[in-house]
Amino acid sequence: MKILLITPLYSYTKTRWTPLGISYIASLLKTNGHQVRLFDRMLKSYQLGNKELVDQEMKKEILSYQPDIIGFSTISEVIYDTAECVSFIRGFFEGTIVAGGHHCTALPQISLNKMPGLDYVVVGEAEYSILSLAKGDSPHHTEGLVTRKSEKPNWTHPRIENLDDLPLPDYSIFDMDYYTEANKDTVRGIYLRTACILTSRGCPFNCRFCSESLNFGKGVRFHSADYVVENIERLVMDYKVEGLYFHDNNFLYSKNHVENICRKLIQKNLHRQIKWAIQGSSVFINEDILKTLSEAGCIKIELGIESINESSLVSMNKNSTISLNEKALSLCKKYDISTHAYFMTGFEDETITDLENTLTWIKKYRPDTFSLHPLKIYPGTALYADEGGGFFENNDWTEENIKSYFRQDKLSSISPEERHKWYYKKYKNFSTRYQRINLIKSNPLKSILRMAYKKLFPRAKN
Ligand code: B12
Ligand code: SF4
């Protein structure tokens, strides 16, 4: 069968992170004899400049490729784009249309109702469900596939117990010239030609604002070190990458897993060829693990600090403490591993003084880079159950509705005007200056000159 996968359009993100879920799905389908293509709406919008042109190009692609199945990857914040595409494509396409990913997993039946052009929704890890569909198995007996007739207890979230059963992800489905082009944002603050990779699925924690355990189930499953290193060798050989960004929610969760991968990287001499970055929780950071990481080429750890207000961490069920975060930042410095601190704003008990204190804290503990994201209430999270007000169930999924829902500051007592003022008066200048200095400190002159050239000629190739 011919399958066309489509990712949603969103305002341009600087991090060139590949949608890896798509590459796993594509790989399993191709290994089983199917043809797969990707229409990457975000990249197309970057290349073509406007949505109308992207839609026209998408229609052309569908009419010329003539797929049997079209599959959408969904994300709550951009679900209006998927909804519009489904209805647009239904106007001229009679084949099967399915959707999977985080948003549909959280709201399978509602997604079918709100997007009448959809035939099925796939919940959770979709590789084997979509393969069954491509093989022509009965949708009513396919695990993970939700039809309009499915009743809640009849669908189960598939869980791939042995991740190594999956063939290596297929990166050739992406425009890898674009995704691996050297930049300073994929590994934040360090200018590299980078690819993304995944070594595990799931997260041991359950933060109230996160839906990871809904998508991947409880606990964490791992690829073996052999699988991971084979994947890395292939990326280095095929795409000449000099950096890797690990998408694992918590790369450090299993010491054994980390040590096995690091040992193999050193055995294969890959630690001298690639620099890599991970996301990890401060809970798992100690001298032993940092030494192992540093010897194997890890140059950056991203930490989900979220808040410097202990009560916000507790109310969000965040499994770390401020003192653990402070300790982690100083230990990373000792082992010369750069850090990125993720912060969130919009918690219930937050005040402008807390935001001010965050900047003071940053100056004191000096992560190399940092970012501040508004707290958003996604379906499938504990926070949505308590505070979402059934928004997605009760409203049309139009661009206007969805954008205004995500613009709301539902929990915070800081008014939007106050926050806006603080952001532009205090945060923006502070952040730009701080990160610019870090960029100069963390990159060799050659990279700095390249970045300056790219700033002058943004579309120039490296
Ligand atoms: C890499 C990444 C990105 C990349 C690539 C996006 C992508 N679709 O993968 C970029 C930078 C573009 C991105 C941007 C955004 N992201 Co993002 N991103 C991630 C991240 C860190 C990893 C994704 C990944 O590779 N996972 C591993 C693979 C194996 O899992 P998967 O992608 O979920 O895919 C599996 C299933 O979901 C399903 N599936 C996925 N696609 C499809 C398609 C079909 C047809 C089917 C049937 C099934 C299916 O099968 C896959 C294989 O098992 C996740 C967090 C996470 N750990 O998943 C957040 C995450 C997906 N992002 C999120 C968000 C909010 C965003 C943004 C809105 C952020 C922002 N405000 O800018 C934008 C939206 C832009 C866009 N156009 O999609 C949220 C989504 C929450 C939600 N309820 O929708 C997540 C879950 C982070 C979080 N915990 O909050 N993101
Ligand atoms: S640690 Fe990260 S991935 Fe895990 S539940 Fe919290 S936010 Fe989600």
Side-chain angles (χ1 to χ4, degrees):
M1 283 223 183
K2 290 201 272 185
I3 295 106
L4 178 68
L5 300 171
I6 301 181
T7 51
L9 192 155
Y10 192 63
S11 53
Y12 176 61
T13 54
K14 288 182 182 167
T15 48
R16 298 201 179 190
W17 293 354
T18 36
L20 286 178
I22 293 284
S23 58
Y24 279 99
I25 292 174
S27 180
L28 188 68
L29 287 168
K30 283 187 181 174
T31 315
N32 283 273
H34 302 286
Q35 289 177 48
V36 191
R37 283 199 203 167
L38 167 67
F39 191 84
D40 187 338
R41 285 175 63 78
M42 198 159 73
L43 173 58
K44 287 285 178 201
S45 145
Y46 168 74
Q47 291 168 336
L48 299 173
N50 89 47
K51 184 172 170 302
E52 283 66 41
L53 290 178
V54 176
D55 288 345
Q56 276 173 30
E57 180 94 0
M58 183 176 72
K59 184 171 181 182
K60 251 200 269 165
E61 168 72 0
I62 295 170
L63 294 177
S64 73
Y65 180 45
Q66 302 252 325
D68 302 288
I69 301 174
I70 292 182
F72 285 94
S73 194
T74 63
I75 287 200
S76 305
E77 238 173 297
V78 278
I79 195 61
Y80 57 85
D81 183 67
T82 307
E84 282 168 17
C85 282
V86 170
S87 118
F88 171 62
I89 291 171
R90 246 318 157 231
F92 61 89
F93 175 74
E94 289 181 354
T96 303
I97 309 185
V98 294
H102 275 79
H103 185 79
C104 280
T105 294
L107 300 167
Q109 286 289 14
I110 310 283
S111 298
L112 287 167
N113 294 343
K114 299 281 179 187
M115 298 188 277
L118 273 187
D119 294 298
Y120 311 110
V121 155
V122 185
V123 289
E125 293 170 64
E127 284 90 341
Y128 289 101
S129 313
I130 200 155
L131 178 63
S132 294
L133 196 66
K135 279 200 292 202
D137 294 347
S138 159
H140 300 285
H141 299 106
T142 298
E143 198 190 8
L145 210 72
V146 181
T147 71
R148 288 197 167 70
K149 291 201 178 119
S150 308
E151 304 236 340
K152 171 89 185 152
N154 292 347
W155 73 74
T156 45
H157 288 209
R159 231 174 104 92
I160 302 165
E161 288 308 331
N162 181 4
L163 291 183
D164 282 7
D165 286 347
L166 290 168
L168 290 178
D170 175 25
Y171 288 82
S172 72
I173 193 150
F174 303 123
D175 178 341
M176 287 299 273
D177 283 346
Y178 167 79
Y179 280 108
T180 61
E181 190 179 346
N183 70 83
K184 63 168 179 43
D185 297 297
T186 303
V187 172
R188 290 167 210 265
I190 301 168
Y191 186 82
L192 289 172
R193 249 182 93 74
T194 311
C196 297
I197 181 168
L198 194 69
T199 81
S200 65
R201 292 187 184 185
C203 175
F205 303 135
N206 223 335
C207 302
R208 279 184 76 219
F209 51 77
C210 179
S211 62
E212 285 302 276
S213 28
L214 183 74
N215 215 35
F216 298 110
K218 293 221 178 313
V220 184
R221 288 152 293 138
F222 304 93
H223 282 293
S224 66
D226 285 336
Y227 182 103
V228 172
V229 171
E230 192 184 337
N231 200 6
I232 295 175
E233 282 180 309
R234 203 188 44 155
L235 284 168
V236 171
M237 190 140 71
D238 292 353
Y239 303 109
K240 311 284 173 277
V241 292
E242 48 192 8
L244 288 173
Y245 180 85
F246 287 75
H247 268 309
D248 305 55
N249 291 315
N250 249 311
F251 183 77
L252 303 178
Y253 173 56
S254 159
K255 191 164 180 260
N256 222 356
H257 178 67
V258 176
E259 284 173 351
N260 287 342
I261 291 176
C262 289
R263 194 176 318 115
K264 274 233 158 304
L265 286 174
I266 294 171
Q267 268 170 17
K268 302 249 177 182
N269 212 24
L270 283 162
H271 65 309
R272 294 193 202 286
Q273 291 177 57
I274 46 156
K275 297 174 169 155
W276 44 281
I278 57 164
Q279 301 184 24
S281 166
S282 303
V283 176
F284 305 117
I285 291 186
N286 55 50
E287 301 227 14
D288 265 7
I289 208 78
L290 289 177
K291 187 165 179 288
T292 308
L293 290 167
S294 158
E295 284 169 358
C298 174
I299 52 157
K300 183 141 202 160
I301 302 184
E302 298 192 344
L303 299 164
I305 291 185
E306 325 301 9
S307 173
I308 56 147
N309 187 343
E310 203 81 57
S311 66
S312 298
L313 296 184
V314 172
S315 77
M316 287 299 139
N317 201 26
K318 190 80 206 170
N319 211 291
S320 62
T321 62
I322 295 161
S323 66
L324 275 174
N325 289 332
E326 293 172 353
K327 192 169 155 221
L329 284 173
S330 15
L331 276 182
C332 287
K333 279 205 193 327
K334 183 169 168 192
Y335 285 87
D336 208 16
I337 296 182
S338 157
T339 48
H340 178 85
Y342 284 103
F343 293 99
M344 281 178 143
T345 170
F347 297 116
E348 206 164 7
D349 43 6
E350 183 182 83
T351 61
I352 287 284
T353 313
D354 289 324
L355 297 180
E356 288 293 317
N357 290 344
T358 306
L359 302 190
T360 313
W361 192 89
I362 290 172
K363 282 186 220 155
K364 183 167 177 199
Y365 293 98
R366 303 209 67 78
D368 296 86
T369 50
F370 62 87
S371 51
L372 179 71
H373 303 274
L375 173 68
K376 299 198 176 172
I377 304 183
Y378 295 117
T381 63
L383 198 57
Y384 183 79
D386 295 340
E387 309 283 351
F391 169 80
F392 287 98
E393 289 83 345
N394 301 322
N395 291 282
D396 289 338
W397 293 0
T398 60
E399 181 167 358
E400 198 190 345
N401 284 350
I402 306 277
K403 282 189 171 165
S404 85
Y405 169 79
F406 281 112
R407 263 197 301 266
Q408 285 170 39
D409 238 346
K410 275 212 155 195
L411 306 187
S412 174
S413 50
I414 305 176
S415 73
E417 296 73 35
E418 244 186 313
R419 184 188 303 284
H420 192 261
K421 202 167 127 202
W422 177 82
Y423 182 86
Y424 284 101
K425 238 179 120 186
K426 298 285 181 67
Y427 178 80
K428 210 159 179 282
N429 284 343
F430 171 77
S431 166
T432 311
R433 211 172 327 115
Y434 186 104
Q435 321 238 31
R436 202 168 281 155
I437 294 170
N438 166 69
L439 207 60
I440 295 169
K441 281 203 305 214
S442 311
N443 289 280
L445 182 64
K446 201 168 104 193
S447 302
I448 293 168
L449 291 174
R450 275 205 208 155
M451 279 186 266
Y453 181 76
K454 285 290 287 286
K455 193 140 183 105
L456 288 172
F457 307 102
R459 303 274 165 150
K461 288 265 165 232
N462 282 301

